[in-house]
Amino acid sequence: MAEAYPTFLAGQRITATLLRSGQEQVARKTSDTSRSAVTVTSADPHLQFEVVANAAYRWHGWVKYDGPAAGDLALDFSAPSGALGEWAAIGVGNSPVIGASAAPALLTDTQDARGYLARFETNDVTSARSYGTLGTGGTPLTAWLYGTLRTSTSPGTFSLDWSQFTSNATALTLYTDSWLSLLRVA
C-alpha cells in the first residue's frame, strides 16, 4: 500500500501548517565548510532537519567535496534515539581512487574519460561510509545520497555528519550548493 502524508479528510480545515507538512524540505549549503585533522564525524552546519516522532521519511541529496588524496571523506548521519532506516550513496571508492582506462589496466588516483569505480553499498541510517578524494585543488568529486528514516518515540535532528576518513592536516571541504531533500511519507 502506498504511503502519503498528510492524509486530508473531508470537512477538515486546511491550514498553512497542514499544507507545509506535506511539502518536501530542502537544506542547501550556503557556504563552504572545511575540516582538517579530524576523523570523528560531526553535523554539517547546513545539512540538517528537525524530524518528528513516529514518522517515516524518504530523502535524497548531492554533495560536492575536495580534499587530500590520503584523507578521503567519511559520511554518516545522526538521527533521534531509536530511529531506523537505510542509506546509500553513489560515489567513488576510497583511496586510492581507481579510474578506468581504455586498456584492461586500472589507473590509481587518476581522472579518466571513462570515470571511476564507485561504491553502492547500503548502510544502516547511522552507520558511516567513506568515499575517495583526488587531492586538494585537484578535481572535486560528488556523491549522490538517498535513503529512508523511521523515527521512534523521540523527535530530534536528522543531519549529514562528515569528517576526513584518515586524519590529514590538509583540509577536506564540502562545497556550497551541496543539498539534502527530506519528505515525510507517513
Side-chain angles (χ1 to χ4, degrees):
M1 178 175 171
E3 294 180 302
Y5 181 86
T7 301
F8 296 104
L9 304 172
Q12 180 178 11
R13 184 163 189 244
I14 305 298
T15 64
T17 301
L18 181 62
L19 289 172
R20 172 99 171 91
S21 71
Q23 290 183 321
E24 192 165 26
Q25 300 176 58
V26 177
R28 182 182 61 86
K29 287 191 68 56
T30 56
S31 62
D32 296 350
T33 303
S34 296
R35 295 180 178 163
S36 59
V38 61
T39 59
V40 176
T41 62
S42 61
D44 186 89
H46 305 107
L47 303 178
Q48 46 190 283
F49 302 93
E50 291 305 310
V51 294
V52 299
N54 303 308
Y57 298 88
R58 68 108 173 118
W59 56 269
H60 63 283
W62 173 83
V63 293
K64 177 182 175 183
Y65 64 95
D66 191 14
D72 289 336
L73 169 67
L75 292 177
D76 196 358
F77 292 88
S78 290
S81 177
L84 298 171
E86 295 285 325
W87 75 277
I90 299 172
V92 299
N94 299 44
S95 286
V97 172
I98 306 293
S101 123
L106 294 174
L107 307 171
T108 60
D109 292 330
T110 304
Q111 180 182 15
D112 189 271
R114 296 176 189 249
Y116 306 101
L117 295 183
R119 296 192 78 157
F120 297 94
E121 304 97 340
T122 184
N123 309 288
D124 180 75
V125 73
T126 56
S127 293
R129 279 283 180 220
S130 58
Y131 296 88
T133 52
L134 292 175
T136 304
T139 303
L141 297 172
T142 64
W144 285 99
L145 312 166
Y146 50 95
T148 59
L149 173 69
R150 296 182 320 277
T151 59
S152 184
T153 56
S154 299
T157 303
F158 176 63
S159 65
L160 172 74
D161 300 356
W162 63 278
S163 69
Q164 292 178 326
F165 181 69
T166 303
S167 182
N168 194 292
T170 303
L172 171 71
T173 302
L174 212 64
Y175 288 110
T176 302
D177 292 332
S178 295
W179 58 272
L180 284 179
S181 176
L182 180 80
L183 178 66
R184 184 171 177 187
V185 295

